[in-house]
Amino acid sequence: YEILSGLVGSVLASYVSDYYGRRMVLFIGGLLAILGAGLQGGAVTIAMLIAGRCIAGLAIGQMSATIPVYCVG
């Protein structure tokens, strides 16, 4: 689940960063990472764990696509 979510997050990161900027993408990615980690840590069902993994995957995809461009540019 995390790999597919990371793929979606990395594809969406370019569109979001064009509209809002790279700094906002990193901020949103950080918030999604916190939310995903909280869901995974407090999961009482498998569905909560899977949702947390998907949200964390989105964050990883966004940040892995944005951070190299942010550091160089």
Side-chain angles (χ1 to χ4, degrees):
Y1 298 107
E2 195 167 342
I3 293 173
L4 294 176
S5 300
L7 180 67
V8 170
S10 64
V11 169
L12 291 177
S14 63
Y15 296 110
V16 175
S17 67
D18 283 344
Y19 192 74
Y20 292 111
R22 293 183 204 120
R23 190 174 295 171
M24 184 58 73
V25 172
L26 292 177
F27 181 73
I28 292 169
L31 289 178
L32 287 174
I34 291 169
L35 179 65
L39 275 175
Q40 290 178 62
V44 293
T45 63
I46 296 294
M48 280 180 70
L49 183 66
I50 291 173
R53 302 265 311 173
C54 289
I55 292 171
L58 281 172
I60 290 169
Q62 278 187 345
M63 290 193 283
S64 66
T66 306
I67 288 174
V69 178
Y70 186 75
C71 291
V72 174

